Amino acid sequence: MSDLPRLLRTERSRLADLLASLDDVQWEHSTLCASWSVRETVAHLTAAASTATPSWMLNMVLTRFDTDRHNDRLMRRHLEPAPAAALSSFRATMFSTTAPFGALDAALGEVVVHGQDIARPLGLRLDPSPGALRIVAELFARKDFAVNSATLVKGMQLLPTDLDVVLGDGPVVRGAAIDLVLAMAGRPSAADGLDGEGALILRERLGASA
């Protein structure tokens, strides 16, 4: 886990490079993340890297522990009107180790998942490092945090085809680590590329939670 700050910087940098290649129209494109545009999703990531635990908890209280309102309120605080300013604000968080309750693995999960939320609808590739994927996959399979990831895959065995790791026990769900991570993060489209006897169960659970 001592490698987490470096991995977090690397994945933020990887995403920032992709964002730098987008035109103004692409910045307003929809993402896999609820109703947010690329610009709004980047503002969410900037907020996540800029909000310490006390402010995070206060915002939860003010939004009556409604996670959607909580995230939207923090995102709006960091929403920039233009892509250049949005990218600059995001780049300013590159070395940040701020995270609620110091959970840098969850912060890494935010960058990995939201990077795909941005890239995939635009038809672009963004390939996280195997080290980052392993940490996020293990975290999501182990416990619910920002998403009900562990609940979604409870009683299943996840077999990433590109990582030397086995997660859980039960009917097998097999596929690329990034698709398993996205499925655990509640992205139904990612489950289309998964197979194994547990894949249908997972798709049904994702449909029920949508």
Side-chain angles (χ1 to χ4, degrees):
M1 299 297 276
S2 62
D3 210 26
L4 270 170
R6 182 188 63 79
L7 287 170
L8 192 51
R9 289 194 301 271
T10 299
E11 296 309 318
R12 283 173 176 155
S13 179
R14 198 188 310 277
L15 176 56
D17 288 345
L18 181 140
L19 293 170
S21 73
L22 303 184
D23 59 31
D24 288 358
V25 173
Q26 289 172 310
W27 272 88
E28 300 307 322
H29 199 282
S30 59
T31 70
L32 298 180
C33 188
S35 59
W36 285 349
S37 67
V38 171
R39 186 166 54 90
E40 289 168 327
T41 304
V42 172
H44 168 70
L45 288 172
T46 302
S50 308
T51 307
T53 302
S55 296
W56 189 90
M57 285 300 301
L58 176 60
N59 194 66
M60 284 292 285
V61 171
L62 292 174
T63 54
R64 299 183 181 181
F65 296 90
D66 183 317
T67 304
D68 290 338
R69 288 180 60 207
H70 164 80
N71 286 331
D72 194 70
R73 189 170 186 269
L74 288 178
M75 181 273 287
R76 298 289 165 193
R77 288 184 188 173
H78 294 268
L79 185 61
E80 298 286 359
L87 179 55
S88 178
S89 293
F90 178 62
R91 285 194 187 277
T93 70
M94 205 62 57
F95 289 87
S96 172
T97 54
T98 296
F101 309 104
L104 290 186
D105 50 355
L108 182 62
E110 289 266 324
V111 178
V112 167
V113 170
H114 290 311
Q116 299 302 310
D117 287 339
I118 290 168
R120 290 190 173 200
L122 292 172
L124 302 174
R125 284 197 61 168
L126 185 65
D127 298 321
S129 71
L133 281 173
R134 182 179 186 123
I135 288 172
V136 176
E138 290 176 341
L139 169 68
F140 283 7
R142 186 173 69 250
K143 66 178 181 179
D144 295 340
F145 189 74
V147 292
N148 295 327
S149 52
T151 298
L152 271 172
V153 296
K154 185 177 181 180
M156 298 179 184
Q157 184 176 88
L158 308 184
L159 295 179
T161 55
D162 47 355
L163 291 179
D164 184 20
V165 63
V166 177
L167 302 170
D169 189 39
V172 169
V173 184
R174 185 186 300 104
I178 188 59
D179 288 330
L180 290 168
V181 163
L182 288 177
M184 285 190 282
R187 299 340 187 234
S189 60
D192 293 343
L194 304 176
D195 60 28
E197 57 185 317
L200 178 59
I201 301 171
L202 179 55
R203 281 191 280 270
E204 290 175 348
R205 290 181 184 179
L206 283 165
S209 66

